[in-house]
């Protein structure tokens, strides 16, 4: 008798935890396949420290092949799910297509940057959802500081060392906090014009920083940011973005070459193409994480609207903590459907949150207990070390070296502005030219359709799959003239790029 085939789509917090738990529960009694665009699990909470030069990029990546025994990783992006035929269609990094049949399916594709209809944002802002975006921001900040130090024009110098971060949730707050420390350290080694210092702005329409957290922790984070020199503007956002700066909703124009978009996330567009009922872009599932009417299909993480049993009528938010625990429950229920153990509903117990503000500063409430400043820093870093499924020694070693040695401010130029557009369904991948793409098929049971190009009609790429060629005047288009920082590298020629449906969802994983 053949072994049951389990396919997991996505190796984020939910997908990785599902695969690891299933590997332990099934004990090689099932064929487990994990489909993911990269060969690693990305620990997103430490991404701001990569952008700030504290951690090397590989420290926040955990390889799939070395940490998931009994699981077969497959490199590729799902671009269609046939629920009736029980198959997943995907495209690998070199443009080849493939099909994965399944007996049980777990959809855990995660989320992408949330877009808002604000003029100029898609063209001039960059998100912070993947490793390429963090590497781009790290290089971009260093480049702007070096150009500012060499500028003869005081206005140009001030604009280049002004960095605008939109979104005062976990990610935006950490990016601004770490960024101010990073640029201040650069100025000590390479001074700017007299009277000019790096300026980081943190904007949000919310009334306070970290609105998801306890008010005492919010006040702690706000105080640390302001003492450090961050310009915190609550109740304010961006009205329009241009190459020369941003127009704020209060009417002020801020000259700047940097706009970091951290306003939240929305489910991956693949979720909508499945053709099942949605709640604000997320697949509706029952408390056992099963899709109603499809007992062989499970969904978890940011892709799923999971009922909150402690708050009837509401759903669990899109956070990494929920996604990690979704994965464990999904794995147990998949195993139970195969006769291993008993299924159980998802019920969350809040373990608290931590926000690393750089240096020895942090805001933390483990188990709901707010901690004062001196204790919050070690607790925040200890929490991350305990939560990471690998690389703990390497991360701790980088933290130790950062405490005793100056950071290296070197721009490698590996990720260009046009390769990390804000409007992308693949923030985990830098866009590269030269490879064919596949469209995300729409509707239940949809198959994958390849595009064939003729000399007069360029191929129409999928929704930002790897290898896509950005169109002119589109996000990721010509960076030399219209992108912040004036990067000289030209992207490949124009092709049509279909838009991605925007189903905003609250929260920030």
């Amino acid at each position: 008798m053949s072994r049951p085939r389990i396919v997991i789509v996505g190796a984020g917090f939910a997908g990785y935890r599902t695969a690891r738990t299933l590997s332990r529960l099934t004990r090689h009694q099932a064929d487990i396949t994990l489909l993911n665009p990269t060969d690693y699990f990305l620990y997103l909470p430490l991404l701001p420290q990569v952008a700030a030069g504290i951690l090397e990029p590989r420290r926040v990546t955990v390889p799939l092949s070395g940490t998931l025994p009994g699981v077969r990783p497959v490199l590729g992006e799902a671009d269609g799910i046939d629920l009736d035929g029980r198959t997943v269609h995907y495209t690998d990094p070199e443009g080849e297509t493939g099909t994965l049949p399944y007996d049980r399916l777990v959809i855990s594709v995660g989320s992408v940057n949330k877009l808002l209809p604000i003029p100029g944002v898609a063209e001039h802002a960059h998100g912070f959802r993947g490793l390429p975006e963090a590497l781009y921001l790290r290089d971009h900040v260093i480049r702007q500081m070096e150009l500012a130090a060499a500028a003869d024009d005081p206005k140009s110098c001030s604009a280049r060392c002004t960095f605008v971060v939109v979104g005062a949730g976990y990610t935006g707050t950490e990016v601004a906090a770490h960024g101010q420390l990073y640029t201040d350290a650069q100025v000590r080694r390479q001074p700017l014009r007299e009277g000019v210092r790096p300026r980081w702005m943190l904007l949000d329409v919310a009334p306070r920083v970290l609105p998801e957290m306890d008010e005492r922790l919010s006040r702690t984070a706000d105080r640390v940011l302001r003492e450090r020199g961050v310009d915190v503007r609550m109740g304010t956002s961006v009205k329009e973005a241009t190459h020369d700066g941003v127009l704020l909703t209060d009417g002020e124009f801020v000259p700047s070459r940097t706009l970091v978009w951290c306003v939240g996330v929305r489910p991956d567009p693949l979720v909508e193409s499945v053709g099942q009922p949605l709640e604000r872009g997320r697949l509706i599932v029952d408390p056992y994480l099963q899709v109603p009417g499809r007992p062989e299909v499970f969904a978890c993480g940011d892709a799923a609207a999971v009922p909150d049993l402690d708050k009837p009528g509401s759903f669990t938010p899109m956070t990494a903590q929920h996604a990690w625990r979704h994965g464990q429950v999904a794995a147990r229920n998949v195993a139970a459907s195969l006769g291993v153990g008993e299924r159980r509903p998802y019920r969350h117990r809040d373990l608290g949150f931590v926000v690393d503000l750089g240096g020895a500063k942090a805001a933390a409430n483990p188990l709901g207990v707010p901690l004062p400043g001196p204790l919050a820093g070690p607790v925040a870093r200890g929490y991350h070390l305990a939560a990471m499924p690998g690389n703990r020694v390497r991360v701790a070693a980088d933290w130790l070296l950062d405490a005793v040695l100056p950071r290296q401010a070197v721009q490698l130029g590996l990720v260009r502005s046009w390769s990390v557009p804000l409007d992308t369904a693949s923030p985990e991948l830098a866009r590269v030219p030269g490879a064919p793409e596949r469209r995300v098929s729409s509707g239940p049971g949809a198959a994958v359709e390849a595009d064939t190009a003729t000399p007069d009609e360029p191929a129409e790429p999928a929704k930002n799959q790897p290898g896509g060629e950005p169109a002119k005047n589109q996000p990721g288009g010509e960076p030399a003239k219209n992108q912040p920082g004036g990067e000289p590298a030209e992207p490949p020629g124009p092709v049509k790029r279909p838009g991605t449906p925007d189903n905003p969802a609250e929260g920030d994983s």
Side-chain angles (χ1 to χ4, degrees), residues 22-359:
L22 271 173
S23 173
R24 176 175 54 84
L25 293 176
T26 59
R27 299 182 182 276
H28 304 285
Q29 297 178 6
D31 292 329
I32 306 173
T33 300
L34 179 58
L35 177 65
N36 198 57
T38 65
D39 63 352
Y40 58 80
F41 158 74
L42 176 64
Y43 190 76
L44 273 169
L46 292 181
L47 210 53
Q49 298 191 27
V50 173
I54 299 173
L55 297 176
E56 288 303 309
R58 284 185 296 176
R59 303 295 185 258
V60 298
T61 61
V62 179
L64 303 180
S65 58
T67 58
L68 297 175
V71 176
R72 180 173 72 101
V74 174
L75 276 180
E77 288 193 277
D79 43 26
I81 297 177
D82 186 347
L83 297 180
D84 296 326
R86 295 196 178 188
T87 54
V88 176
H89 305 276
Y90 70 94
T91 304
D92 71 17
E94 295 185 349
E96 300 295 329
T97 60
T99 301
L100 297 173
Y102 65 83
D103 298 303
R104 298 291 183 273
L105 173 66
V106 181
I107 302 174
S108 54
V109 287
S111 54
V112 299
N113 296 308
K114 183 166 77 171
L115 305 178
L116 297 177
I118 299 175
V121 165
E123 291 81 7
H124 300 287
H126 290 282
F128 204 80
R129 291 291 302 157
L131 198 54
E133 293 170 323
L135 293 176
Y136 166 75
L137 181 61
R138 179 172 169 176
D139 274 4
H140 176 78
V141 168
I142 296 172
R143 178 167 54 255
Q144 295 308 308
M145 293 298 296
E146 292 173 345
L147 292 172
D152 295 326
D153 181 12
K155 293 182 178 180
S156 175
C157 176
S158 177
R160 290 192 181 280
C161 60
T162 298
F163 307 94
V164 181
V165 181
V166 185
Y170 299 107
T171 302
T173 299
E174 290 188 344
V175 168
H178 283 282
Q180 186 72 66
L181 285 180
Y182 191 34
T183 52
D184 285 347
Q186 285 183 253
V187 168
R188 286 193 290 270
R189 293 192 297 270
Q190 189 176 14
L192 299 172
R193 296 176 60 90
E194 185 177 355
V196 179
R197 67 160 294 187
R199 178 192 183 193
W200 284 77
M201 297 184 66
L202 181 62
L203 314 176
D204 202 305
V205 294
R208 59 186 175 92
V209 173
L210 298 173
E212 309 93 339
M213 297 187 72
D214 182 271
E215 287 193 22
R216 287 172 291 182
L217 297 179
S218 178
R219 288 195 298 269
T220 297
D222 188 274
R223 184 183 69 252
V224 170
L225 290 170
R226 295 181 188 273
E227 289 176 351
R228 195 166 289 171
V230 177
D231 186 357
V232 180
R233 305 274 189 98
M234 294 294 99
T236 306
S237 189
V238 174
K239 185 177 181 180
E240 183 180 359
T242 69
H243 169 67
D244 298 317
V246 293
L247 177 63
L248 306 184
T249 52
D250 60 7
E252 179 184 354
F253 183 81
V254 179
S256 174
R257 301 292 187 273
T258 309
L259 180 57
V260 187
W261 195 253
C262 303
V263 298
V265 294
R266 59 193 172 104
D268 189 290
L270 178 71
V271 175
E272 187 177 74
S273 72
V274 173
Q276 296 297 301
L278 303 175
E279 166 63 30
R280 304 192 71 180
R282 295 191 284 173
L283 275 174
I284 294 178
V285 297
D286 62 21
Y288 299 94
L289 308 185
Q290 286 180 292
V291 175
R294 298 282 182 176
E296 75 283 359
V297 180
F298 298 76
C300 53
D302 291 350
V306 181
D308 190 336
L309 298 182
D310 295 327
K311 300 177 182 178
S314 62
F315 300 92
T316 58
M318 298 168 67
T319 65
Q321 192 175 116
H322 277 288
W324 188 248
R325 288 161 177 78
H326 283 177
Q328 184 178 35
V329 174
R332 291 184 179 278
N333 292 341
V334 170
S337 72
L338 299 175
V340 180
E342 297 181 358
R343 71 173 190 160
R344 64 181 186 184
Y346 176 75
R347 190 180 295 273
H348 178 70
R349 185 170 68 91
D350 189 2
L351 300 180
F353 296 93
V354 297
V355 179
D356 192 316
L357 300 174

Side-chain angles (χ1 to χ4, degrees), residues 118-126 241 417 422-423 473-477 482-484:
I118 299 175
V121 165
E123 291 81 7
H124 300 287
H126 290 282
S417 174
L422 180 64
D423 182 9
N473 301 320
Q474 293 294 326
N482 301 318
Q483 288 296 331

